[in-house]
Amino acid sequence: MLYQSDKNEIPFNGQFEDSEEESDELSEEDSEDDGLQNRRRRKRRQLVNNNKLLIMNVSDTQYAAVKFVGKILNKFKLQYTPYQETQVWDFCWTDNAVLPETLARMQSHQRINHFPGMYCIARKNYLGKNLNKMAKQFPDEFDFYPKTWMLPSDISDLRQNIKKIKYFIVKPEASCQGRGIFLTKQVESIASEHCVVQRYLHKPLLIDGLKFDFRMYVLLAGCDPLRIYLFKEGLARFATQPYQQPNQMNAEEMCMHLTNYAINKDNPNFVFNTDEQQMDVGHKRSLSSVFKLLSQQTNIDELMAKIKDLIIKTFCSVQPFLQSNYTQPDNHANNMCFEILGFDILLDNTYKPYLLEVNHTPSFTADTPLDAIIKKNLIRDTITLMNINLKVKNDLQQLQKEQMQRRVLGKKPKISNEEKKSLKIQAQIEREQYESQHLGNFEKIYPSDKSYEDYLQHAQKLYEEWTGANIRRNIKKDNFTEREKLIQQRQIQHSITVQGSVDSRNKLDPSKSSNRKSLYKNITIKKENKQNLINKVFSNPQKSMTELPQQQPLELKIQDRDDNEIASEDQQNTSKFQENIDRFKRPPSFYTMKSTKQHQELQIADFFNYKRISFPDTSPLSQPNTQQVLQISSQQQLKSSAQMTRKFSIRKSNKSKLKSSESDQEAKKEMIQAFNQFSQIQQQQQQSSFFQSQQQNFQNQQPQQNGSFVKPKVFNLKLQPPHFKIPSFPILMQQQNYYKLRYD
Ligand code: ADP
């Protein structure tokens, strides 16, 4: 044996009767009975009441070994009231899975022997799915699991592999003890069944001509972060019929192909081990005795390293899921749950270990001395390692009491995240120290020197894909733009509501002229100024441009009360004109509008699209008069222009300008260039009308991301630069990535 039992310890013979089992139900009359037994019961009750005994709830366990270890070795008070119905227990041992709600109801000093959500590896189909996913990313590292298909979903992939594989082993999705398992070549016949199909490992390692597998006990002591211990002792379970590779004759011989104790114990060949001193005989032996045998043929350390590795990887594949089910943010020691899992491992004839299944409720039946000693020691060492004792409970309760008092007195200090982190680290250090000194027959296999970070990260990624958390996170990343979009949409609605209390979609519908009117009802165009301006510009363009007034404001005002920020991006005007005039075709440059909560006023300049007036003569010296200009303009149907310039200048209520995208100077320079390039413009004039070209240009553009154009809130509208003429053409509008025409 690899481990030593304490010689002074009370021996466990596999049986246990609790004389106090009924004590909880004792009536007052019973307690008046002065029998010796009742006096003992009363004394124990007093101790419990005085917090001098730990209460272990065993209402949901059938195993004598558990009760024996609890009561005889640890002196716990056993409680038989269903653990879901009472909260007056400190430690619960159940033979069934627990729900997240159970954990959520528990207090930090309480302990339970299962993690919620462990079915993610305990059910064959989930184990298969999780490991298959990991194997896709790490094919060489996750090849310890025989190729597995979950039917009916994986049937097409299975069909592709039918020819490559001799025999399949078919298992129910969630079953145990070999129930419902069979071997087959004909997977087509079960294509529509819900089951797990696995490559049958037809060359297992044999001892005495018999197939065998290992039951290894693994203690998961924490899931966030993972803490994994491997019990040094376990079981080797043998088939009872000499092994032959599967064929039509023997495929149904369960006692040849399956090593389950539940199946083989009924075979007349089965030899029971009756002497705990001789663990290397019979069809169920100790793990250590088989390792001793194998050590003559192979390197056991290497084999053990591979087994530990596969155990850790299996947990890595589901760590994010377990962590998400472990909802105990204040349990800094990460120790309210623990779980003993049975890993079934098969060796092939090259000594390569394969994981067959993980059992989350391994049997603690102690029907032979071998079982009794191994299982009793396993449970005992687990309870010791998990530090389940009265002192810990009392310390924790004392802490809670103090916190409660502070809260009642209003003195509760706020724990920052940093403090929480350091509390967690502190708790983990203490735990590390304690566990390293109380390992018993356990060996810590994780955390280890080897890094499993890649697997954990990939598992996290898979988990997030599965839950959609990755999408949410990406959205968060994009939140800046998203938020801006939302803000802008809200601004549109806000401004529109301010204007006329009409639904924004109606507001922006170009077909609804009443809405348009209300949106721009405050715009007053000073026609006189406009005409003067045109005259000025074109009587002597070179000269007048330098003399142009800075701004010709058209004003529209809306009070803005919300915090907001709008940014509008340059939109590249598409083809139609040569490169050298691209700048003129460009719709608005990058503008920013800002406002603060109170009294902010935005000034929007050049709200409309402007058209550059074209000239018949390329020479700047030949200067047409205004009449000519207008005439030419109408004749050419404004083909040359499509100058979509919108400018938003922003001004706070204190009149200070926050941002202005392009200076007037620049505009003037552009004007000069425009004149020089006039002849080129003419050549490029398209047959389409100005309206068509504008429409096309806009439609060719990428949708403006923020929609700021249609979302002005405060309108101090300015005509800028003055050398443009306000066209009597539709204004192209955009909302929610759609461009709409608005006729003004
Ligand atoms: P159960 O939970 O019902 O025990 P297992 O998956 O553990 O189901 O399979 C039962 C037995 O079948 C194993 O103990 C092993 O002997 C045999 N077995 C299972 N899978 C395979 C396999 N892929 N190749 C060879 N034998 C297998």
Side-chain angles (χ1 to χ4, degrees), residues 124 171 176 178 198-199 201 211 213 258-260 357:
K124 291 182 179 70
K171 309 175 186 182
C176 58
Q198 200 168 58
R199 178 170 78 88
L201 302 167
K211 181 177 171 178
D213 75 351
L258 306 193
T259 52
N260 298 82
E357 75 152 345

Side-chain angles (χ1 to χ4, degrees), residues 122 124 146-148 168-169 171-172 174-181 183 198-204 211-215 237 239 243 254 256-261 263-264 344-346 354-359:
K124 291 182 179 70
K147 188 93 184 82
T148 304
F168 297 94
I169 183 164
K171 309 175 186 182
S175 180
C176 58
Q177 299 186 330
R179 278 191 289 257
I181 294 182
L183 269 62
Q198 200 168 58
R199 178 170 78 88
Y200 185 71
L201 302 167
H202 63 284
K203 288 184 180 172
K211 181 177 171 178
F212 67 94
D213 75 351
F214 296 135
R215 161 58 57 89
R237 301 161 315 170
Y243 184 78
M254 290 299 108
M256 179 188 289
H257 296 291
L258 306 193
T259 52
N260 298 82
Y261 175 64
I263 287 178
N264 286 284
D344 290 353
I345 286 160
L346 186 91
Y354 283 92
L355 176 67
L356 297 183
E357 75 152 345
V358 181
N359 205 316

